[in-house]
Every structure is written in C-alpha cells, then in structure tokens.
Amino acid sequence: VVGNALSREQAEQWVIDLGAGSRTSRILFDSHRDLIYVTDFGNDQVIVVSPVERRVISRIDVGKRPRGMSISIDSRVLYVAHSGEPSIASIELDSGAVTKHPVPSLYDWPVEEPYYPWEIAVANERLALLSSNPPGFASGGPLYGVDLRTFEVAPRNDMRDQDGYPLRGARSTMQISRDRTTIGIIPEYAVSWPQLVRYDTANDSFFSVGSRDARDIWLNNNASRMISANVIAPALTVYDQDLRIIRPIELTDSPALGLAFNPAAPKYVYALAYTLQEVRLDLGRQTRLIEYQAPEGYLHGPFHSMAMSDNGEWLYTPLTLTAEVPPGKLLAVRVGPPRPADYLAPVSQMKPLAEAQARNWWELSWTGSDDVSGVDYYAVEYRTGEKGDWKLRATTTDTNALFTGATPAQRYDFRVYGVDVAGNIERYPDGAETTTVAGADTSGLSKTFLPQLGAW
Ligand SMILES: [Ca+2]
C-alpha cells in the first residue's frame, strides 16, 4: 500500500432524528426522485427523507421488521423484505400504495421454523433475488428468486461454491451495480470457506470465489471493480470483474462494516466502522485516506448501510450515541462538490495487428473515447497464448505504445481498457482484441520507453 497518509476532516454535515422508537436498518438513495428511504424496524415503516428539505417527509407502514430494499428497473416500485414475517412489500412510489406479498415457502433444513426474508435485490424487470434468515438469528437461510409479476418464490439452489456445494443466503449484503449487470453477494458461511459471489443479470447465473474474510461488498457503476471489507482486519480488497484480487487497501481503524463507491467519482471509496474513512484510489496508488469526524457526542457506527447521492456530494449513514444503542438518526456528510453525471466508462478497442511480426518489437495502437469527463488513461494488457495470465504492459494517456523484447515465435494476445477522469473503469473484453506472433529480428528499435502509471 502506497501513500497511506491519513488526514482528519471536519466536513459539512447534518443530522436528522428519524422519530421515536426508530431503528435504522438499510438506507437507499432514490436517484429518480432525490429522496432517501430508510427501513425502520423499530416502527415497521419505510421512512422517506427529503435531503433538500433535510427532514422526514413521510412514513410508510409496511410489514414486521423491514430490512432490505431494492427499487424496480423503471424506478416506480420499491420492494421491501420483512425480516419479522414471511412476506415482502411492494410500494408504488408515486402513490404510496403498499401491497403485501406472502412468501410462504421459505422452509429449509435444519431450522424447523420458517425462514423470513432478509435482503432483496432487483435483477431485472422479472426477477429479484431474496435472501432469508431464521428469526432471531443472523445465520442465513437459502437464497430465493422472486418472480416480480406473479410474486412466486422459488429456491435458487444454483448459487454454489467452486466445489459445487450449495451456498446459503446473504449474510448481510447484496449490492447491485448501477448498470444492473451484476449483483455482488456475500453468502452465509457454508461447507466451504466464505465466498464472494457475482450474479450476472444477463445470464441469470452465479460465479463464486473463495474469500476468507469478506463482510461487505460493493460494486462500481459497471461492476468492473468490486471491493470487499475484511471481517477481521481494518482492510479492504479490490477485485476485478472476474473476482480476481487486484490489490489490498489498508484502513486505520476497526474492520469496516459498510462500503460505498462514489457513483459520480468512483475512484473514491468510503468505509464505515466506528469512523468513516474515505480512500482515494488514483492511478494505482492509494493517494489519500481521509477520516470524517462524527458530530460531537455521536459515533459513526458500526453499521452496514450507506447510501450516496447521485452527484457524489452527500453520503448518508445511520448515526448513534453509543455502540450499544440502535441508531435512530440519519447523518449526511458532504464528501465533496457535486460532480457531473459521469457513470459510464470509456469505450476503447485495440487496432488489429498483423498475424505475424518480422521483428521482436512492434507498435500497438488503439482507439477510445469517453462520454463526459474524458479518458484519463488506458491500460494495455498482454498474455502469451490463450492460457496465459493477463499482465499489465503499460498505462498511458497516448493511443499507441511500443511492445518490445518479445520472444521469437511466441504468440501474444492484447487487450486495452480505458479509465475516465471520474474514475469509471471499462470492463475487460472476454478474450483478446488482437493477436500476433513475434519475429526474431531485433533491429531498428530506437526507443524502449513505455509509459507506466499503474492501474487499479
Ligand atoms: Ca465516462
């Protein structure tokens, strides 16, 4: 970890009381309406907060002990998982009309009692994933799929670890990428080690990797990067879209419970424990670690749920007086200026190479563009043959680079991805974008310099 300097900042912030008996569970920012929804398991309500007016504007009665929330693709319906009864609610957000849908089939070995819903994540127009939990425990029941047209609930026994053992529901979290391609899941401890799971919306399929220490997971806008919080140590881990570890990140306080990417500046990551810390990842270096001070007399955590405004200006978390008292307040911290709406990564493409090279060096070139903030840099990767691991060759603001020192007769594959100024990272293509075979001629090479900034 490089440049891990901590600074403490007293940012602009405001606190609102969520009302008598309120117990904050999850917080969700509705970017369509600029409203914040808070599930309150103390009063069995969804609390609606206007961040503009900085007050509670309505309270919606739902079922017992509401917990997870997820918003429909068309932003018209909010689904709520009730952890105190076998049902979920759908709330028509424009009218406030609430419909309760029983989910009677949540029984499974080894608990004799029914499992109740816990977290819910809308994958597409038709399907939501629903995790379950036995009442009074936080140990995780099976994962279910909910048909959003009929509200039929069916077990998802296809969420399995690498050895094929079925995994059980989410311990604490299911996070949806902004582009809705991916849901990141941390299942309950199972037969095997704890796992990180990626659910692909397009393929309706799960992909798992082992992880000894994951607690929360968060995805950037297009799920090209995922971050998990270490359950034991004050540390985070950055993964790529295939859940390969890219790098660790050290925090300075206790292990984080909650995580968030800044949607408008996804190079900024927030980790919530007893303190709130901001990590700035820039060109592969951890350039800054900021600790936001809680308002006097309060503690930041430890809580799981965080939400951010669409423009990346405000971060919302639960707030409490002591670690023993459940949170009944909402804290808003201003973590930066409002930012332009840049949620899409650059699009780039390698230009095709000749099938074979005469020399053992050649020029690579590519094209690329970005919609709003512009391309910050490109990362060029290569592998030797189809089975080789991808390796970073260069990060550069240019659209060409020399590839030198190749082994004659060796096949080389290339791919490129772009990172925009806001910090959106393009997803890798599945395979090579261009391929060539190296020659033996070493003559003619006048420069060997390859720019190297370090990617993340
Ligand atoms: Ca962009």
Side-chain angles (χ1 to χ4, degrees):
V1 177
V2 189
N4 192 5
L6 178 76
S7 67
R8 290 192 163 79
E9 217 160 89
Q10 189 61 60
E12 185 188 342
Q13 50 191 358
W14 47 271
V15 177
I16 53 170
D17 196 298
L18 295 173
S22 290
R23 296 289 179 259
T24 308
S25 179
R26 300 286 181 266
I27 302 174
L28 186 75
F29 184 81
D30 178 349
S31 51
H32 205 71
R33 296 171 183 77
D34 280 335
L35 293 173
I36 302 160
Y37 307 125
V38 181
T39 40
D40 172 7
F41 64 87
N43 295 312
D44 298 339
Q45 289 176 327
V46 172
I47 300 172
V48 184
V49 174
S50 164
V52 175
E53 299 176 42
R54 300 187 179 182
R55 66 182 186 90
V56 173
I57 57 166
S58 66
R59 314 180 75 96
I60 302 167
D61 289 320
V62 292
K64 277 188 197 159
R65 299 183 76 80
R67 193 162 294 273
M69 285 181 284
S70 192
I71 206 158
S72 65
I73 301 290
D74 63 8
S75 300
R76 290 167 58 182
V77 182
L78 181 71
Y79 299 100
V80 182
H82 302 136
S83 68
E85 62 174 69
S87 69
I88 59 174
S90 59
I91 304 171
E92 295 285 340
L93 287 167
D94 288 334
S95 68
V98 181
T99 310
K100 212 191 261 192
H101 310 277
V103 283
S105 58
L106 302 188
Y107 279 87
D108 188 65
W109 180 87
V111 178
E112 305 277 308
E113 294 174 86
Y115 289 86
Y116 290 158
W118 191 257
E119 300 286 350
I120 189 163
V122 172
N124 54 39
E125 287 86 355
R126 303 176 312 280
L127 179 75
L129 298 181
L130 182 69
S131 72
S132 66
N133 213 41
F137 299 89
S139 67
L143 187 76
Y144 294 85
V146 181
D147 185 319
L148 293 177
R149 294 168 188 166
T150 62
F151 289 95
E152 280 172 29
V153 177
R156 290 298 304 246
N157 296 320
D158 54 333
M159 184 170 74
R160 289 170 181 267
D161 69 12
Q162 298 126 301
D163 301 321
Y165 291 107
L167 294 168
R168 296 171 72 79
R171 290 179 71 195
S172 60
T173 186
M174 293 199 285
Q175 296 289 353
I176 311 167
S177 62
R178 187 184 179 93
D179 68 359
R180 304 262 189 168
T181 58
T182 309
I183 299 174
I185 302 172
I186 298 183
E188 184 48 48
Y189 287 113
V191 176
S192 58
W193 289 109
Q195 304 271 315
L196 288 180
V197 179
R198 186 192 74 199
Y199 171 80
D200 293 321
T201 306
N203 304 320
D204 188 26
S205 64
F206 298 94
F207 173 75
S208 307
V209 295
S211 157
R212 291 198 167 205
D213 50 19
R215 170 128 59 183
D216 197 6
I217 189 170
W218 203 279
L219 296 74
N220 66 355
N221 292 328
N222 62 348
S224 61
R225 293 293 183 273
M226 294 174 238
I227 286 192
S228 78
N230 190 304
V231 75
I232 302 156
L236 311 177
T237 307
V238 183
Y239 297 84
D240 75 356
Q241 68 200 44
D242 299 321
L243 289 173
R244 279 189 294 248
I245 292 175
I246 291 193
R247 59 191 300 249
I249 299 170
E250 287 174 14
L251 304 172
T252 59
D253 191 42
S254 43
L257 278 172
L259 291 173
F261 269 100
N262 188 321
K267 65 175 93 170
Y268 294 84
V269 176
Y270 302 92
L272 183 65
Y274 290 99
T275 57
L276 174 63
Q277 296 186 27
E278 174 185 286
V279 184
R280 183 177 177 184
L281 297 162
D282 207 354
L283 296 175
R285 291 177 286 272
Q286 185 175 321
T287 57
R288 218 159 47 129
L289 191 61
I290 291 175
E291 193 175 287
Y292 289 99
Q293 303 283 291
E296 206 173 327
Y298 289 102
L299 273 179
H300 271 302
F303 307 117
H304 159 66
S305 196
M306 284 200 277
M308 285 214 68
S309 66
D310 235 29
N311 63 7
E313 183 179 11
W314 292 94
L315 178 70
Y316 306 103
T317 77
L319 192 68
T320 192
L321 290 164
T322 74
E324 287 73 40
V325 178
K329 297 177 194 305
L330 182 75
L331 170 69
V333 183
R334 188 171 185 268
V335 293
R339 296 169 191 277
D342 186 352
Y343 312 119
L344 294 178
V347 176
S348 66
Q349 176 72 42
M350 295 292 303
K351 288 187 185 164
L353 289 165
E355 261 180 58
Q357 306 291 325
R359 295 191 162 95
N360 79 333
W361 62 271
W362 56 88
E363 186 183 350
L364 301 168
S365 60
W366 54 90
T367 57
S369 61
D370 184 66
D371 57 340
V372 177
S373 63
V375 174
D376 188 9
Y377 64 94
Y378 298 98
V380 180
E381 297 189 329
Y382 76 101
R383 64 182 179 185
T384 50
E386 228 172 329
K387 296 268 157 66
D389 289 330
W390 287 102
K391 291 175 185 147
L392 182 70
R393 182 63 189 209
T395 48
T396 173
T397 52
D398 295 336
T399 52
N400 60 341
L402 287 181
F403 189 79
T404 60
T407 305
Q410 174 69 56
R411 171 187 152 169
Y412 287 88
D413 290 356
F414 296 93
R415 68 183 184 188
V416 63
Y417 64 89
V419 180
D420 70 17
V421 171
N424 289 292
I425 303 170
E426 186 179 4
R427 290 178 72 138
Y428 312 129
D430 281 337
E433 290 178 290
T434 187
T435 291
T436 194
V437 175
D441 182 355
T442 59
S443 68
L445 185 62
S446 59
K447 51 177 182 173
T448 57
F449 174 72
L450 276 173
Q452 192 84 40
L453 306 168
W456 73 281

